[in-house]
Amino acid sequence: AAGIPLTHRGLASAVAFVTAQGADGAPPDWAALARPGLTLAVYMGGSRVADIAAALVAHGRAPATPVAVISAATTAAQQVLTGTLADIAARHTGRERFAATLMIVGESVALAGRLQGAEAPQAGTEFQRRQP
């Protein structure tokens, strides 16, 4: 719904789906999830965007890696905030926190909207879902 491919030839050959924290409160294995060529989909991470970005950078993911924070996905209220691991925390500060937030991390985020024929947003911009 956000026009972001999870895999794309030359950009990402794998995808991992994780929650921001386990039922026991333990974080995912950020070291394993920080590898290049992996698109990471983090569910229920809206209140942890800064922590997730910092953990991935601390474990070796490039600060310039594109990121999208998607709130209320697939609904008329969907909002997509894009940036990089380096700036997404600052861009996300003060925003409403939705329980249903998905954070996508990886090079393919830079293709947001392009594959649906829409003009792709510039990094660091927000866009809303177009109504059918």
Side-chain angles (χ1 to χ4, degrees):
I4 299 170
L6 296 178
T7 60
H8 193 275
R9 186 172 289 123
L11 296 177
S13 59
V15 62
F17 301 91
V18 299
T19 58
Q21 72 177 24
D24 61 358
D29 182 355
W30 295 123
L33 298 170
R35 69 181 177 88
L38 172 74
T39 299
L40 180 59
V42 183
Y43 289 83
M44 300 178 290
S47 64
R48 293 186 154 84
V49 169
D51 295 336
I52 294 165
L56 290 169
V57 170
H59 287 93
R61 197 72 189 249
T65 302
V67 177
V69 178
I70 306 165
S71 302
T74 74
T75 72
Q78 175 175 301
Q79 293 184 358
V80 180
L81 175 70
T82 61
T84 66
L85 286 175
D87 69 8
I88 198 69
R91 294 188 45 69
H92 192 256
T93 298
R95 297 181 60 82
E96 183 176 356
R97 309 301 172 144
F98 290 91
T101 297
L102 177 64
M103 185 173 175
I104 306 290
V105 180
E107 299 304 328
S108 61
V109 172
L111 300 176
R114 290 184 190 171
L115 301 182
Q116 293 178 329
E119 183 177 326
Q122 297 295 315
T125 62
E126 294 181 51
F127 61 99
Q128 292 185 334
R129 181 174 185 230
R130 289 187 180 157
Q131 297 302 312

